Amino acid sequence: MTPSVLAGLVGAALVGLGLYGLIIHPHPLRKLLAFNLIGSGVFLVFGIIARRGAAAGFAFDPVPQALVITGIVVAFAASAVAVALILRLAAVAGSVTLDPEAWTRPKGEDAR
Amino acid sequence: MSLLPYFDVGLALLIVGVAVWIIAARDLFASVVSYVAYGLLLAFVWIRLYAPDVALTEAAVGGGVTGVLLITAGKRLGALKSIAPEAQPGLGFKLRIGVLAALVAAALGAVMIMLPDPPPSLAPQAAAAAAGAGAGLGNPITAVLISYRSFDTMLEKIVLILAVLAVWSVGSDKAWGNTPAPFRQSKPYAPMVFLAQMLAPIGALIGLHIFWVGADAPGGAFQGGALLAAMWMVAMMARLVEPPRVDARWLRLALIAGPAVFLIVGLAGEFVAGAFFAYPPGIAKPIILIIEAFMLLSITASLPMLVAGPPIERSEK
């Protein structure tokens, strides 16, 4: 098994793990971590495509690699916005739950 | 044969193991910390995929700067007293989601094994770009970023500016124009100050070097900028410098300098070289270096602002 196929399988596993965590975890920051796992899995899959596209004297296809570099930076920017929103939610509401019924529940622990 | 296949398999198992821990850890902070380790491990995979440029970006942005962002967020959330008890989903639900996620991963894995042969490639076009408009650039990635896909790279800088605007807008109205919250609330302690004083000048030098060699070797404005941004954040963590006011003119000029210079050069290309974002042959390399220098400035300014978060009211501190 070549390293690129192995890395591709790792990418696939990361997407699966991230998807599981994104749905299972109620905490928004955990959801953000899981979403970043999906993202890096997709980048890895794209990395395999770059490695397989070796041609014209390069050991890799530079175009997908450049796209991945752009993607990492944009993913960071999106994560920063998400973190800012989560912290603002925590500051305003005093809790970080995404449960819409937490506000209206009669005996909610933190309902204001 | 060498030990490399064992290294690959071990690395793959380690990464999947850390990823499982990120999802499975009970403690939020443990999960966040393992994400930083995960980013650094991923950089090794990129090196094995002959992608040193991506490895540098992943280590600096994916591991380093994202790590600071998430750890800061984790600490600020952890300091919050009244976190609502989370309703954990039931076992049956978890099982069903597990099966769904496994199916998605298996389908993707199957695609990875059955990729088309011969593989499609844009490498010849990229080589042409490196030889033509991006003449003199030894690093094909930089040639692709600045020449072949220059418009995308310019728009990406605008995405960074929009993200900074979005983060700033999340703050309360009364805080507008103030400084973001300091990275550490407490007084700085001596080892941190010493580390910042030792590390920041060396790190800044390495960042500038990575930017400078980026034209011909792995590196460039992204990787160098992320390192410079990290050094600025280290200095802010040691309270050697404080975060700037968000309405400071120099900060705003630094934020827009990269895309602005890029756009001006691109528009000038319309008249000088005959096409939007075309560079006049002969002086393409100096022009590209000037664009990259201003992009370095914008990246160095925007990444710490994204991590620092929205401005806060004076009394809140």
Side-chain angles (χ1 to χ4, degrees):
Chain A
M1 190 181 287
T2 61
S4 56
V5 171
L6 185 64
L9 294 179
V10 170
L14 292 177
V15 170
L17 273 168
L19 187 64
Y20 176 77
L22 181 67
I23 299 176
I24 285 296
H25 280 301
H27 195 294
L29 201 60
R30 298 295 292 266
K31 279 191 194 291
L32 181 62
L33 283 173
F35 197 75
N36 270 314
L37 277 192
I38 300 183
S40 51
V42 172
F43 291 153
L44 266 188
V45 166
F46 217 43
I48 317 317
I49 302 201
R51 177 74 182 101
R52 284 172 46 92
F58 297 133
F60 49 82
D61 184 351
V63 178
Q65 282 201 8
L67 280 174
V68 169
I69 293 180
T70 307
I72 290 174
V73 177
V74 171
F76 164 73
S79 300
V81 174
V83 162
L85 287 173
I86 293 170
L87 288 175
R88 184 68 182 152
L89 174 70
V92 170
S95 74
V96 283
T97 179
L98 290 179
D99 181 7
E101 288 165 16
W103 303 89
T104 51
R105 201 173 291 144
K107 281 196 170 181
E109 281 82 359
D110 200 48
R112 282 196 215 169
Chain B
M1 268 293 282
S2 61
L3 285 171
L4 270 179
Y6 299 100
F7 175 77
D8 285 329
V9 173
L11 191 60
L13 291 177
L14 196 60
I15 284 183
V16 174
V18 174
V20 168
W21 179 245
I22 292 173
I23 299 299
R26 276 180 183 275
D27 183 32
L28 171 70
F29 204 65
S31 171
V32 167
V33 169
S34 44
Y35 186 82
V36 180
Y38 166 83
L40 294 177
L41 286 172
L42 221 49
F44 282 107
V45 180
W46 284 112
I47 290 175
R48 290 292 294 139
L49 289 173
Y50 296 86
D53 289 272
V54 185
L56 278 170
T57 313
E58 178 68 47
V61 179
V65 186
T66 308
V68 179
L69 173 78
L70 292 171
I71 287 178
T72 314
K75 288 197 89 152
R76 286 179 187 171
L77 284 180
L80 207 73
K81 285 283 176 286
S82 56
I83 289 182
E86 307 286 0
Q88 286 292 333
L91 189 65
F93 181 70
K94 278 186 177 178
L95 214 60
R96 267 175 289 156
I97 300 302
V99 170
L100 166 80
L103 276 177
V104 170
L108 205 53
V111 170
M112 285 298 102
I113 292 172
M114 298 184 296
L115 281 174
D117 216 26
S121 176
L122 284 171
Q125 284 94 317
L137 293 176
N139 183 357
I141 309 279
T142 307
V144 167
L145 281 174
I146 305 291
S147 177
Y148 182 63
R149 287 182 53 244
S150 48
F151 196 58
D152 299 4
T153 308
M154 198 272 294
L155 288 178
E156 181 213 357
K157 290 297 153 312
I158 293 181
V159 167
L160 277 181
I161 295 176
L162 289 177
V164 171
L165 273 181
V167 168
W168 283 353
S169 315
V170 167
S172 68
D173 286 352
K174 276 178 279 177
W176 181 253
N178 281 346
T179 61
F183 279 77
R184 289 179 59 86
Q185 299 290 340
S186 54
K187 273 173 70 176
Y189 59 112
M192 185 69 214
V193 176
F194 178 69
L195 177 75
Q197 284 170 339
M198 288 295 290
L199 187 65
I202 300 172
L205 203 59
I206 295 175
L208 286 174
H209 172 76
I210 287 180
F211 152 68
W212 181 249
V213 300
D216 294 314
F222 289 91
Q223 297 89 339
L227 206 54
L228 286 179
M231 289 310 122
W232 188 16
M233 286 193 281
V234 165
M236 284 196 274
M237 279 176 211
R239 307 293 293 262
L240 291 175
V241 289
E242 294 295 326
R245 292 175 60 86
V246 300
D247 59 358
R249 173 145 306 151
W250 65 266
L251 177 64
R252 298 193 172 182
L253 283 177
L255 282 175
I256 63 160
V261 168
F262 211 154
L263 204 55
I264 290 168
V265 172
L267 285 171
E270 178 75 46
F271 304 104
V272 179
F276 188 48
F277 273 110
Y279 308 121
I283 54 165
K285 187 173 176 183
I287 288 182
I288 287 172
L289 275 177
I290 288 171
I291 295 173
E292 283 229 293
F294 281 98
M295 292 212 314
L296 181 82
L297 183 66
S298 289
I299 294 169
T300 309
S302 54
L303 296 188
M305 288 302 102
L306 286 173
V307 175
I312 54 161
E313 289 167 57
R314 289 285 147 114
S315 53
E316 255 179 52
K317 189 184 160 192

